[in-house]
């Protein structure tokens, strides 16, 4: 997704990283499955690395090529799992509507904030004091 037209008329753009109005959503029903998949990818590499045996590492990660390192391949696999399991949420910076991606689709549904304004709820620093107690 690169652009999403909000009902207020604002266009939410997604063409760069580290957006303060975008977040990933991991549904609780797939959280354990996601972490099992990540663990399944990491385990052979950790075991091979612990063994110190290059043949074991090659067995776990296929043939090494001069272009892609085992670390790159692992990152690709985990990124792929992440993309497969995560949904996206956007917050309109004009009206504060939260747009949540429907599972396994390109469709988004919107939710209007009680305050009726942008609250930077998806930003790291929302400006609202945290109450961690
Ligand atoms: Zn809006």
């Amino acid at each position: 997704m690169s652009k999403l037209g909000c009902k207020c008329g604002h266009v939410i753009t997604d063409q760069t990283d580290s957006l303060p109005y975008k977040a990933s959503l991991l549904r609780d029903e797939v959280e354990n499955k996601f972490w099992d998949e990540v663990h399944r990818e990491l385990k052979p590499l950790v075991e091979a690395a612990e063994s110190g045996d290059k043949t074991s590492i090659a067995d776990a990660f296929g043939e090494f090529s001069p272009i892609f390192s085992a670390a790159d391949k692992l990152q690709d696999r985990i990124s792929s799992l992440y993309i497969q399991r995560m949904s996206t949420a956007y917050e309109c910076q004009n009206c504060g509507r939260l747009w949540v991606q429907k599972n396994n689709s390109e469709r988004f549904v919107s939710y209007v904030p009680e305050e009726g304004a942008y609250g930077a709820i998806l930003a790291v620093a929302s400006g609202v004091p945290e109450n961690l107690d």
Side-chain angles (χ1 to χ4, degrees):
M1 216 264 343
S2 58
K3 287 184 179 176
L4 176 71
C6 184
K7 290 178 180 175
C8 73
H10 181 71
V11 177
I12 301 167
T13 57
D14 181 358
Q15 295 170 328
T16 186
D17 293 332
S18 302
L19 294 170
Y21 50 87
K22 178 184 178 185
S24 294
L25 184 74
L26 179 62
R27 289 177 167 79
D28 200 52
E29 290 175 306
V30 297
E31 185 176 349
N32 286 343
K33 195 178 286 183
F34 171 74
W35 288 113
D36 286 348
E37 290 166 344
V38 170
H39 180 73
R40 205 173 311 134
E41 293 295 330
L42 291 173
K43 192 177 176 193
L45 179 63
V46 171
E47 288 174 347
E50 283 175 346
S51 78
D53 179 9
K54 279 225 166 206
T55 307
S56 298
I57 297 171
D59 287 347
F61 280 83
E63 289 301 310
F64 291 102
S65 80
I67 301 167
F68 299 108
S69 69
D72 288 340
K73 282 184 183 174
L74 182 64
Q75 187 176 352
D76 284 351
R77 289 181 189 183
I78 291 176
S79 292
S80 169
L81 294 173
Y82 181 86
I83 289 165
Q84 198 179 339
R85 295 292 178 198
M86 296 289 174
S87 294
T88 302
Y90 295 101
E91 183 181 15
C92 176
Q93 290 186 294
N94 185 50
C95 71
R97 262 190 190 85
L98 193 64
W99 289 89
V100 178
Q101 184 180 20
K102 296 272 278 182
N103 204 15
N104 294 325
S105 84
E106 294 299 310
R107 290 190 47 230
F108 285 77
V109 290
S110 67
Y111 298 86
V112 179
E114 294 282 337
E115 298 77 18
Y118 177 63
I121 197 69
L122 301 182
V124 172
S126 67
V128 177
E130 286 182 38
N131 185 356
L132 301 176
D133 296 332

